[in-house]
Amino acid sequence: KQWYQRRVRGDTSRSSDSALEWVQFNGVLVLCAIVLAIGALAVSALFGCHMYLVLHGLTTWEHVSHNKITYLKRFPEDSTPFNFGYCKNCFIFCCYCSTQNWEKYIKSLT
């Protein structure tokens, strides 16, 4: 409270003491803010990566190992048989719950 009262009155004669008091009162809050900012950055990066996968109709495995997956070898590197466009991919991901026999689907494409 003394630090606040000196600031309000304009008393800056003890600036080193007031700086030390500020650190004592707010150091933990600043540290928490830094940790939260780093965590928010990591969560935002994961969210962005997963939104890319959702929008393109991919799984992580299909994105990372496209050349090694047998049912994707006949497709170019930048395409996948499960990409139905951004809007429909989001709808399928968020609202559509169904199982599908992918081997029959692949055979119908060829």
Side-chain angles (χ1 to χ4, degrees), residues 1-9 21:
K1 189 173 182 180
Q2 291 173 355
W3 173 77
Y4 176 72
Q5 289 174 347
R6 281 197 306 264
R7 280 288 188 199
V8 170
R9 285 180 293 171
E21 288 175 6

Side-chain angles (χ1 to χ4, degrees), residues 54-78:
V54 167
L55 290 174
H56 290 132
L58 291 169
T59 63
T60 307
W61 181 52
E62 291 169 345
H63 179 66
V64 173
S65 304
H66 190 278
N67 294 337
K68 298 176 186 174
I69 301 172
T70 55
Y71 62 86
L72 291 178
K73 283 186 179 180
R74 65 185 101 178
F75 295 98
E77 187 84 27
D78 59 345

Side-chain angles (χ1 to χ4, degrees), residues 81-94:
F82 313 114
N83 187 0
F84 300 107
Y86 295 150
C87 292
K88 191 168 183 181
N89 286 342
C90 284
F91 175 78
I92 290 170
F93 179 79
C94 295

Side-chain angles (χ1 to χ4, degrees), residues 23-70:
V23 170
Q24 287 174 342
F25 288 131
N26 299 314
V28 173
L29 293 175
V30 171
L31 183 64
C32 288
I34 291 170
V35 169
L36 285 173
I38 292 170
L41 184 64
V43 169
S44 297
L46 282 171
F47 178 76
C49 179
H50 284 94
M51 282 308 300
Y52 173 83
L53 294 175
V54 167
L55 290 174
H56 290 132
L58 291 169
T59 63
T60 307
W61 181 52
E62 291 169 345
H63 179 66
V64 173
S65 304
H66 190 278
N67 294 337
K68 298 176 186 174
I69 301 172
T70 55

